[in-house]
Amino acid sequence: MTGRPNEEAASLFAEMALLMELSGADRFRVLAVARVARVLEAMPTDICDVPGARSGEDLSALVALEGIGESSARRIAEWCRTGRITDLEQLREGIPPGLIAILDLPGVGPALARSLWQNAGIVDLDGLEKAIADGRLEGIPRLGAKTIENLRQAIAERRRGAERMRLGRALPIAESIAAQVRALDGVDRVEIAGSLRRGAETIGDIDLLCVAEDGPAVARAFVTLDGVSRVLAEGSTRASVMRDEGIQVDLRIVPARAFGAALLYFTGSKQHNIALRQRAIDRGMHLNEYGLFKGPSRGAGDAQGRPVAAATEEAIYGKLDLPWIAPELREGETIAPPVPSDTLVTVEDIRADLHVHSTASDGSMEVEEIIRLARARGFHSIAVTDHSRSSVQANGLDVDRLHVHAARIRALAAQCRGVRLLAGSEVDILADGRLDYDDRTLGGLDLVVASPHAALRQSPDSATARLLCAVRHPRVHILGHPTGRLIGRRRGLEPDIRAIAAAAAATGTALEVNANSLRLDLRDAHIRIALDAGALIAINTDAHAPEQFDQLRYGILTARRGGLPADRCVNAWPARRLHAWLKDKSGEARRA
Ligand code: DGT
Ligand code: CA
Ligand code: CA
Ligand code: ZN
């Protein structure tokens, strides 16, 4: 058994809810089972320790738990005794496993997945792709020409997404491989280079650079590390492998005296390298991966002569009459960054998280735990922003539940020292731009994040109008994950970002950079547009579980790529300034 016992049971119940939907089960029964999964996930103590759970003789204590009915209690007791749930196993047998990947496509609900299966015999993504290509889907219930075209695009997007790895997956993998390399004999220094060092949202391969004198020995050791599935190349200064995680890793081995030049070269981007080389030529020098040298290049592999600079990136930029440029800004043909690199926001600048979910909706953390984690991170403020009623799948709160929840948060806030706890909401922006709560309800909260969750394929014009409603709403502080895109999975809304940014600047509403590595929304290019328009930016984790607070760094990398200085990020402000803005956001716009 892996993970905490409750988590394992929770994932089985979540799977069961999904399979029930596919098998056409009654909606309320499905929701009840999904609820059990959430209850189990949130439960701090072992479910099997509840009296009667292990013996299975008297289930009344289980049934007494909120959200758990007779049949769920029976299944939990079976699981505690045997580690199995017979009902789930029966469901699994009746449903092709490949249907889950189809259900996972944007715009595909259980009814459509079921219809594809029952009416066209489609049981996996490959089958669906072929059926679309062959024109075999016409005439199937629920499938118009437009839906078919959307499906085709969604599959193409999914396949493209599978080729490049998300930043949030690649960075921890690269860090653990870098630690393996650092531990090798004769290795002095290891750095991550390439698109990963630049904080790109997806990564083609991992580039590592290390300092060592004995290149061949290090290359040999690298290709025999644990986790290597295939050796692609092995030389005296470099090696490339495929890893079990499904990604290629390139290692270059350089002497310490040329480390800066190599790091600069292998960090890229390619366009940045080309622009720097041209700048060197304009100054009567030449730049390559070994250093910056006087005079013109004498051809490939030219490494003769003493370099003008080579050991550090700073020295090379300096000799090219440039300040050091942060890797996140090394994109595009123009070298000059939009802001000085040392003003860019950092993880250490962040003092508040303004978008976090608790067990009241679909999070796994109690409010008390959220407070503890905020304190551990040295935050001065944290906002609990659970979902609103239209987000049924996420157990969104109706107005009554919101009132109870907010009152409880306020009571905890009153006793809370060191951290200011805010009673907020992540309110749905409905398809037509209306918000999911009335103004009076919203006005009673400390903080309102308004986000689009459904209708994410409406036209650009409708999307712009919809988001403008939210940005201009006097009770809304932050526009949450503005486009709703999921990297490699869902394109999301395509609004006129310039119009949104201009309205945000005028009203003092902040635009969110959602740090979840699946979202990174706003994306880098949008952040740049927002900053040019004068808008404020919020960087929030949208954490649903404790470890998700660590996703902050992906939001920071994205924000840095967008050129965000700390003073334009509300989460980096001192408490006084943040709370003044929360009370009167347009006042901040006037002051700015
Ligand atoms: P990726 O891996 O597709 O996410 O993107 P990168 O930027 O990591 O690209 P990669 O791994 O092919 O190469 C790493 C760096 O090496 C790249 O950012 C710049 C440098 N580089 C690679 N090929 C060339 C080239 O043909 N010319 C120049 N000037 N630099 C190159
Ligand atoms: Ca790379
Ligand atoms: Ca590479
Ligand atoms: Zn959220």
Side-chain angles (χ1 to χ4, degrees):
M1 198 184 295
T2 59
R4 279 192 299 119
N6 288 357
E7 258 166 33
E8 160 121 3
S11 77
L12 294 178
F13 275 90
E15 181 188 352
M16 188 155 164
L18 206 66
L19 295 180
M20 284 169 65
E21 270 192 288
L22 281 172
S23 72
D26 173 79
R27 181 162 175 73
F28 289 100
R29 287 182 48 221
V30 174
L31 285 176
V33 172
R35 175 139 194 247
V36 176
R38 280 197 303 271
V39 168
L40 288 171
E41 204 154 83
M43 193 160 163
T45 56
D46 191 340
I47 184 77
C48 299
D49 289 343
V50 172
R54 266 182 249 273
S55 70
E57 275 157 22
D58 177 7
L59 299 181
S60 55
L62 275 176
V63 175
L65 294 174
E66 194 170 328
I68 294 181
E70 288 282 351
S71 51
S72 305
R74 188 171 43 69
R75 290 164 182 152
I76 290 169
E78 182 193 358
W79 180 78
C80 288
R81 264 196 331 279
T82 66
R84 301 171 50 186
I85 302 176
T86 314
D87 291 347
L88 172 61
E89 288 173 6
Q90 275 169 4
L91 271 167
R92 277 182 187 147
E93 269 168 34
I95 288 165
L99 271 189
I100 302 286
I102 293 178
L103 187 61
D104 215 31
L105 290 174
V108 177
L112 177 55
R114 203 175 138 72
S115 163
L116 287 166
W117 170 32
Q118 304 277 312
N119 297 310
I122 290 167
V123 293
D124 55 25
L125 270 189
D126 286 342
L128 179 56
E129 196 170 27
K130 267 187 78 191
I132 293 172
D134 299 348
R136 273 198 289 118
L137 288 193
E138 274 111 58
I140 297 211
R142 296 174 188 273
L143 277 181
K146 188 156 170 258
T147 311
I148 295 178
E149 176 53 23
N150 284 337
L151 280 175
R152 203 186 55 72
Q153 282 184 19
I155 296 173
E157 198 149 321
R158 181 66 46 90
R159 301 249 192 253
R160 263 199 310 282
E163 286 161 21
R164 293 181 66 83
M165 190 178 268
R166 266 186 301 124
L167 173 64
R169 194 165 133 66
L171 191 52
I173 291 173
E175 285 169 341
S176 95
I177 300 171
Q180 282 185 311
V181 173
R182 208 165 279 132
L184 295 176
D185 271 349
V187 171
D188 280 337
R189 184 174 172 189
V190 182
E191 293 288 340
I192 295 170
S195 52
L196 201 46
R197 183 165 180 239
R198 303 197 308 276
E201 64 192 34
T202 64
I203 307 301
D205 70 6
I206 294 172
D207 300 285
L208 296 180
L209 197 64
C210 76
V211 171
E213 292 303 327
D214 188 351
V218 170
R220 181 97 278 268
F222 174 70
V223 302
T224 51
L225 283 176
D226 275 354
V228 170
S229 59
R230 200 150 49 89
V231 179
L232 304 172
E234 182 189 342
S236 59
T237 58
R238 52 173 297 173
S240 289
V241 297
M242 267 310 283
R243 299 272 310 191
D244 292 342
E245 297 90 343
I247 192 160
Q248 180 177 332
V249 185
D250 293 346
L251 174 72
R252 329 268 165 160
I253 307 150
V254 299
R257 62 181 182 282
F259 191 74
L263 185 58
L264 188 59
Y265 181 85
F266 291 116
T267 297
S269 66
K270 196 167 161 179
Q271 279 181 318
H272 187 74
N273 288 352
I274 292 168
L276 285 181
R277 280 183 187 193
Q278 188 55 49
R279 195 173 171 99
I281 291 167
D282 294 345
R283 284 166 174 67
M285 297 181 278
H286 69 278
L287 175 66
N288 58 33
E289 60 193 278
Y290 308 105
L292 178 65
F293 298 89
K294 279 211 181 89
S297 164
R298 278 163 292 173
D302 175 12
Q304 304 104 306
R306 256 175 66 84
V308 178
T312 68
E313 289 185 336
E314 286 81 353
I316 296 168
Y317 278 114
K319 293 292 181 186
L320 294 172
D321 308 315
L322 290 167
W324 179 79
I325 297 171
E328 297 91 336
L329 296 177
R330 299 182 195 172
E331 300 285 350
E333 286 156 26
T334 33
I335 299 177
V339 289
S341 295
D342 59 5
T343 63
L344 290 179
V345 68
T346 65
V347 168
E348 291 71 34
D349 289 330
I350 299 300
R351 308 293 312 283
D353 197 334
L354 304 176
H355 182 171
V356 177
H357 296 271
S358 78
T359 51
S361 61
D362 60 347
S364 73
M365 298 176 284
E366 297 291 342
V367 177
E368 288 85 344
E369 182 172 18
I370 293 173
I371 299 172
R372 235 184 0 262
L373 292 167
R375 202 173 269 135
R377 272 161 204 268
F379 289 167
H380 59 61
S381 303
I382 188 122
V384 180
T385 54
D386 279 300
H387 288 284
S388 62
R389 57 187 161 192
S390 289
S391 283
V392 177
Q393 297 285 21
N395 188 26
L397 282 69
D398 61 24
V399 174
D400 289 341
R401 282 175 64 212
L402 176 67
H403 282 318
V404 173
H405 185 43
R408 178 144 189 280
I409 294 172
R410 292 241 162 83
L412 287 167
Q415 308 160 4
C416 185
R417 297 278 161 268
V419 181
R420 290 177 68 167
L421 179 67
L422 301 169
S425 167
E426 180 181 21
V427 64
D428 260 45
I429 308 171
L430 306 179
D432 61 2
R434 279 178 304 131
L435 299 182
D436 205 13
Y437 293 132
D438 59 80
D439 291 2
R440 227 174 61 108
T441 303
L442 293 173
L445 296 166
D446 302 327
L447 169 99
V448 176
V449 178
S451 318
H453 287 107
L456 295 177
R457 288 188 298 163
Q458 59 189 173
S459 71
D461 285 349
S462 311
T464 305
R466 175 189 191 180
L467 297 184
L468 280 176
C469 281
V471 168
R472 292 186 179 134
H473 194 292
R475 300 289 180 206
V476 170
H477 297 96
I478 297 172
L479 181 64
H481 49 72
T483 73
R485 68 120 171 212
L486 296 178
I487 295 171
R489 292 171 149 241
R490 179 167 83 200
R491 191 184 296 272
L493 300 172
E494 295 174 297
D496 176 352
I497 294 288
R498 279 185 180 75
I500 307 290
T507 55
T509 306
L511 302 180
E512 182 179 76
V513 177
N514 192 291
N516 185 299
S517 74
L518 252 174
R519 293 191 182 274
L520 300 179
D521 177 18
L522 297 178
R523 69 186 70 189
D524 48 16
H526 289 166
I527 297 166
R528 192 98 30 128
I529 293 170
L531 290 173
D532 286 345
L536 294 169
I537 299 287
I539 306 175
N540 296 319
T541 63
D542 196 0
H544 286 67
E547 68 280 3
Q548 289 179 1
F549 283 111
D550 294 332
Q551 301 243 332
L552 176 61
R553 59 180 178 153
Y554 309 123
I556 294 285
L557 282 167
T558 303
R560 289 170 63 90
R561 287 171 67 81
L564 177 65
D567 67 351
R568 294 284 291 282
C569 176
V570 297
N571 311 68
W573 288 351
R576 269 173 89 101
R577 187 170 178 200
L578 175 67
H579 292 276
W581 172 71
L582 288 173
K583 288 204 178 66
D584 176 17
K585 62 168 180 161
S586 53
E588 180 63 36
R590 283 193 302 275
R591 282 189 290 279

